[in-house]
Amino acid sequence: MSDLLWPGDHRAGDLFTDVSVVAAMIRVEHAWLTALAELGVAGITVPDDLAELVGPDDLPALAVDAESGGNPLIPLLKLLRSRLRGRNTAAAGWLHKGLTSQDVVDTALVLCLRDAIARIRADLLAQVGALSRLAEEHRETRMAGRTLTQHAIPITFGLKAAGWLTGVLDARDQLAAAGKPPIQIGGAAGSLAAPAALAGGPVRARELVAVTARHLGLPAREPWHTSRAPLTRVADAFVTCTDAWGKIANDVLVGARPEVHELIESTAAGRGGSSAMPNKQNPVHAVLIKRAALAAPPFAALVHAGAAAAVDERPDGGWHVEWATLRTLARRTVVAGAQTAELLAGLRVETGKMLATLHEARPGIDAEQQSITPGVAPDQPYLGATDEIIDAVLARAKGTV
C-alpha cells in the first residue's frame, strides 16, 4: 500500500492495509474456532491453513462484495466457508458460529491498532533518546527565547529541547495508557447469547472469550459494542503524539528560515531539494510532520463522533465510520513518528548563530532582568531554574520519577 498524495506513507508498510485487515479478521475467526475446540464445544480439528485460503487476488472482489452487507466480513466468510468445505467440512460448519460481524471487525481493528502502537512506541523511544541528548548537550547554549513571535528573554537551547521532550513523554505516557485495547466479543446484541447457548451457559461463554483473547494476545473484557472508549482512547493518544511532533516541527521550521538559521534539518540522501530552485534546501521532514499534526485531530474527532452516534446494540453508521478513519489516523501517525525520529537524529544546532541573535537582541531582550536586578551585566546568567527543569525532565525520561 502506498499513497502518492501523502508522501512518506510507504513508511507504514503493510500496517492496516487491506491485506493486513483481512489477515486480522481471519486470525480472529481462527482463534474462535480454536477456543471452541479447546473447550470441547466443537468436536473438530482446527485447520492450520485458514489464512492461506484467501490471498491478495481476492481483495478486489471482497471490497466490491462488502457493499451488499455493509461490512467486509460477510463476503470473507462466504469465501472462507466455500474453500474450507473441501478440506475440513466440520470446521467449515463451525466457522463464525456464535460470533457476529462486529465481534470480528472490532477485534481485527484492535489487532491492527496494536501493531501500529508498537511501531509508534519504538519511534517515541528513539525520540526520547535524541531529545535527552540534545537537552544535556545544550544546557549552556544560550539563545533568544521567543513569545508571540517576538524576542522575550534569554533561554538555552537545552531548555527548548527539554520542552520538546516533555511533549514526547506526555505522548508516550498517554499511548501506554491506551495501548492495550481489549478483545470485543459479545454476539449479536452484546449479551453473549449465542456463545452461551453453544457452550452451555454464561460462565462457559465467558471462558470462550477469554481463551480466544489469549490466543490473540489481547486483554479479555466485557463486550463494548456501543461503548467505544477503547478506540477513542487510542485515537486521542495518536493525536497527542502528533501534537508533540507538530510543536517540534514548527520550531524547526522557524529556526530553519534563512534569516534565523539556528536549526538545520539533515539533507541526507538529497532530501529537501526543489524542482525549480537548486539553491533551496527545504526542511521537508518538518513540513511533512506539521502536515500530519494539522490533519490528525479531525480524524480523532470523527472517531468520537462515531462513538457519540452509538444507538441500540449496534450503531447504524457510527460504527462504520470508525474503520477507514482509524486506518488513516494510525498509518499517518506511524509515518509522522518515523519522520520525527529521523529529523531529531539528524538535526544540526547552529550554536554560533543562536548566540549572535541573542547579542543582536540586546539591550531589549534583557529588559525583564534589568527591571528586577538593575545594573546586572547582560552576560551574567539569567536563566532561572533552567538546570533544575532540564534535570527533572531528563529524570522523567529515564523513568526515575
Side-chain angles (χ1 to χ4, degrees), residues 266-289:
S266 171
T267 58
R271 190 169 69 231
S274 166
S275 66
M277 293 167 282
N279 59 300
K280 288 189 71 180
Q281 286 295 332
N282 298 314
V284 66
H285 269 13
V287 169
L288 296 178
I289 294 162

Side-chain angles (χ1 to χ4, degrees), residues 12 29 33 41 55 61 78 120 141 145 162 179 237 259-260 272 279 283 292 356-357 380 385 395:
E29 294 286 357
L33 267 181
V41 176
K78 182 179 178 181
I120 295 165
T141 300
E259 62 271 25
V260 179
N279 59 300
T357 299
Q380 184 171 330

Side-chain angles (χ1 to χ4, degrees), residues 33-390:
L33 267 181
T34 302
L36 290 171
E38 276 190 17
L39 294 178
V41 176
I44 58 171
T45 300
V46 179
D48 294 328
D49 59 350
L50 197 60
E52 298 175 6
L53 298 178
V54 179
D57 292 342
D58 296 310
L59 294 177
L62 288 175
V64 171
D65 294 344
E67 183 180 17
S68 63
N71 74 68
L73 180 69
I74 294 173
L76 176 61
L77 277 174
K78 182 179 178 181
L79 187 61
L80 285 172
R81 284 173 176 146
S82 68
R83 293 177 178 175
L84 189 56
R85 284 192 188 100
R87 305 186 184 193
N88 190 328
T89 303
W94 280 93
L95 188 68
H96 192 69
K97 186 167 288 189
L99 297 176
T100 192
S101 296
Q102 188 173 0
D103 294 332
V104 180
V105 173
D106 279 355
T107 304
L109 287 176
V110 165
L111 291 173
C112 291
L113 286 171
R114 183 179 65 180
D115 291 342
I117 288 167
R119 284 279 302 276
I120 295 165
R121 278 179 174 158
D123 283 323
L124 285 169
L125 181 62
Q127 294 162 25
V128 169
L131 287 169
S132 296
R133 289 189 293 273
L134 285 171
E136 186 62 65
E137 181 181 347
H138 292 282
R139 280 178 177 272
E140 304 300 327
T141 300
R142 298 197 197 174
M143 65 179 295
R146 298 174 175 93
T147 60
L148 304 181
T149 75
Q150 304 300 299
H151 290 155
I153 63 172
I155 62 169
T156 70
F157 182 68
L159 181 67
K160 182 179 283 290
W164 294 351
L165 178 55
T166 296
V168 168
L169 292 173
D170 288 343
R172 179 199 65 180
D173 292 349
Q174 186 158 340
L175 191 66
K180 294 183 179 180
I183 194 171
Q184 202 299 102
I185 291 180
S191 63
L192 288 173
L198 285 174
V203 173
R204 294 273 287 170
R206 290 173 66 84
E207 288 179 15
L208 279 174
V209 175
V211 171
T212 304
R214 174 168 54 81
H215 281 287
L216 294 172
L218 295 174
R221 213 196 87 166
E222 69 280 3
W224 43 277
H225 275 208
T226 54
S227 301
R228 311 304 283 175
L231 299 185
T232 57
R233 278 197 296 265
V234 173
D236 290 344
F238 286 169
V239 174
T240 302
C241 290
T242 59
D243 286 350
W245 303 333
K247 161 59 176 165
I248 296 170
N250 286 329
D251 282 349
V252 171
L253 289 168
V254 170
R257 290 176 180 269
E259 62 271 25
V260 179
H261 200 66
E262 294 179 349
L263 299 170
I264 299 177
E265 184 177 310
S266 171
T267 58
R271 190 169 69 231
S274 166
S275 66
M277 293 167 282
N279 59 300
K280 288 189 71 180
Q281 286 295 332
N282 298 314
V284 66
H285 269 13
V287 169
L288 296 178
I289 294 162
K290 180 173 183 176
R291 162 204 66 173
L294 292 171
F299 285 98
L302 190 51
V303 177
H304 278 282
V311 62
D312 300 324
E313 280 61 61
R314 186 175 306 165
D316 52 349
W319 173 50
H320 304 75
V321 79
E322 294 170 345
W323 313 337
T325 304
L326 285 167
R327 186 223 297 267
T328 303
L329 178 58
R331 285 185 65 85
R332 291 182 177 182
T333 305
V334 166
V335 170
Q339 290 169 337
T340 303
E342 193 169 305
L343 168 68
L344 292 172
L347 188 65
R348 200 167 86 208
V349 181
E350 292 293 307
T351 58
K353 182 59 176 175
M354 287 179 173
L355 189 58
T357 299
L358 178 58
H359 285 321
E360 290 170 7
R362 287 184 164 132
I365 201 167
D366 297 312
E368 184 184 74
Q369 179 183 10
Q370 293 298 323
S371 70
I372 296 173
T373 54
V376 173
D379 60 348
Q380 184 171 330
Y382 177 64
L383 301 173
T386 292
D387 276 340
E388 290 76 9
I389 293 169
I390 292 173

Side-chain angles (χ1 to χ4, degrees), residues 3-7 291:
D3 188 341
L4 186 65
L5 298 181
W6 196 264
R291 162 204 66 173

